[in-house]
Amino acid sequence: MDEARLRSLTPNVLAVLVRRGADFAAAEDAVQEALVEAVRVWPTAPPRDPKGWLITVAWRKFLDETRADTARRRREDLVDQEPAPGPAASRDDTLQLYFLCAHPSLTPSSAVALTLRAVGGLTTRQIARAYLVPEATMAQRISRAKRTVSGVRFDQPGDVATVLRVLYLVFNEGYSGDIDLAAEAIRLTRQLAVAIDHPEVSGLLALMLLHHARRATRTAPDGSLVPLAEQDRGRWDTASIAEGVAILQAALARDRLGEFQAQAAIAALHADAPTAEETDWVQIVEWYDELLRLTDSPVVRLNRAVAVGQADGPRAGLAALAELDGTLPRHTAVAAYLYERDGDVATAARLYAEAAHKASSLAERDHLTRQAARLNARGRG
């Protein structure tokens, strides 16, 4: 069984059922049943036309459920529409499914879950394990999401920006459970790039590839965080970096700059530097300025303060930081870093300890605690 191949067929099969008139929620259930049947049957009797097989089985399961449900008896006329088995049509409605699953009426968490199941072909159990929640909880979340979008017309135009935000949320979950969500997000974004010619889709794909290239070096063997400046650049995935840079350059050449392209440009400058000391921080600040023009995000302003501290010195970075809301996540940690670079060890140690109490993850808390302990030891020495 080629599980990746099976999952890649899922959105097309689901789209065919919806286009034939099936309700989205019922169609998605039927496709999941067909996937289960494929896992059972294909190892000993592989079909010559896998997509056609899945469409036929899913459609029959949808019809069986329709006949059994008296509340939906009005759909019985669909029985006569069952096509004869044969090669499946080549039309690809994957793009519409992306838009449907990222519908603005859904919460971000629901949109992510529905995208992973309907477009990604993951099971409810796999998604639940990835998000570390009970399977029943995830099943309820997905059911509510399907009910929400069931009345949405399949041919309505969607919002590319919303789809991209959902995919980036998936990517940032990284790896958990038995599913590599970062790799899954890259796969889905590649699929989206085939379905739609849009520079921001390319920008997001480039950004994912450039970040993913450093994945193996982000943590030490004991699970502790390794800052970018301390990562072993010899272990970065140069093939992914080269691909990401090439995709980004093609997108930028179209002169339709968007936030994901700007973020990818910053990531590319980090990836291009042979050492941390050779990073082109001046260019990075310029790209942050472009990103601020596009988003005016407080988080971007915070990251820009770090870049300014590297390009123009820690005091310039602290001046930029002073203009921001002190309650921003990571604000205290950034201040600690800049004070340390400015030589104020005592203030930096205090702020690292304070930031550790505010950390959103155990790994981040442990990292900041170690930084405070390191500076306290230096002060005592």
Side-chain angles (χ1 to χ4, degrees), residues 218-219 223-226 359-370:
R218 285 202 185 102
T219 56
S224 60
L225 295 179
V226 179
S360 59
S361 70
L362 181 61
E364 184 182 5
R365 187 193 71 188
D366 289 347
H367 171 71
L368 293 168
T369 300
R370 281 194 294 272

Side-chain angles (χ1 to χ4, degrees), residues 24 100-101 106 110-119 142 145-146 149:
F24 177 82
L100 193 65
C101 293
L106 296 173
S110 294
V112 166
L114 192 58
T115 298
L116 287 173
R117 180 160 152 140
V119 185
I142 292 173
K146 289 196 295 183
V149 301

Side-chain angles (χ1 to χ4, degrees), residues 301-326:
R301 290 188 181 279
L302 185 68
N303 291 332
R304 180 184 178 277
V306 176
V308 168
Q310 296 284 3
D312 300 328
R315 294 196 178 182
L318 286 168
L321 189 66
E323 299 174 2
L324 305 181
D325 183 352

Side-chain angles (χ1 to χ4, degrees), residues 344-381:
D344 190 343
V345 174
T347 300
R350 175 178 58 79
L351 289 173
Y352 274 130
E354 183 181 330
H357 288 293
K358 301 176 181 178
S360 59
S361 70
L362 181 61
E364 184 182 5
R365 187 193 71 188
D366 289 347
H367 171 71
L368 293 168
T369 300
R370 281 194 294 272
Q371 296 294 86
R374 173 178 58 81
L375 294 185
N376 283 326
R378 183 195 300 179
R380 288 193 297 270

Side-chain angles (χ1 to χ4, degrees), residues 87-313:
S90 60
R91 176 172 170 177
D92 187 351
D93 289 309
T94 301
L95 181 58
Q96 282 85 350
L97 283 179
Y98 276 102
F99 290 141
L100 193 65
C101 293
H103 195 267
S105 61
L106 296 173
T107 64
S109 61
S110 294
V112 166
L114 192 58
T115 298
L116 287 173
R117 180 160 152 140
V119 185
L122 303 184
T123 66
T124 302
R125 176 173 295 180
Q126 287 174 317
I127 301 169
R129 286 178 176 173
Y131 282 88
L132 306 177
V133 299
E135 185 175 353
T137 300
M138 185 57 69
Q140 290 175 352
R141 184 180 302 174
I142 292 173
S143 294
R144 286 195 299 270
K146 289 196 295 183
R147 285 196 300 270
T148 299
V149 301
S150 285
V152 178
R153 288 180 57 195
F154 191 66
D155 58 353
Q156 283 185 331
D159 179 10
V160 175
T162 302
V163 174
L164 297 182
R165 281 195 294 272
V166 169
L167 288 172
Y168 199 38
L169 284 172
V170 175
F171 177 79
N172 284 325
E173 291 296 329
Y175 179 87
S176 54
D178 58 354
I179 295 297
D180 186 340
L181 289 178
E184 181 65 15
I186 291 172
R187 183 183 76 84
L188 293 176
T189 306
R190 285 189 191 280
Q191 191 179 59
L192 182 60
V194 171
I196 183 172
D197 181 20
H198 194 294
E200 271 294 82
V201 178
S202 298
L204 177 59
L205 179 56
L207 177 63
M208 289 178 174
L209 289 169
L210 289 164
H211 280 328
H212 206 56
R214 297 190 282 106
R215 176 176 176 171
T217 64
R218 285 202 185 102
T219 56
D222 62 359
S224 60
L225 295 179
V226 179
L228 175 61
E230 299 173 20
Q231 290 174 12
D232 181 357
R233 296 176 183 233
R235 295 176 56 210
W236 287 359
D237 183 348
T238 54
S240 291
I241 291 173
E243 183 186 5
V245 169
I247 292 171
L248 172 63
Q249 288 175 338
L252 291 175
R254 300 177 65 176
D255 198 24
R256 290 170 55 194
L257 185 64
E259 60 179 291
F260 287 117
Q261 294 170 72
Q263 289 186 59
I266 293 169
L269 286 167
H270 283 298
D272 188 53
T275 65
E277 293 72 26
E278 295 173 87
T279 303
D280 190 342
W281 286 105
V282 173
Q283 267 205 75
I284 288 176
V285 171
E286 291 173 356
W287 275 111
Y288 272 122
D289 289 338
E290 290 287 345
L291 193 53
L292 277 175
R293 183 178 60 80
L294 293 165
T295 67
D296 196 27
S297 162
V299 174
V300 172
R301 290 188 181 279
L302 185 68
N303 291 332
R304 180 184 178 277
V306 176
V308 168
Q310 296 284 3
D312 300 328

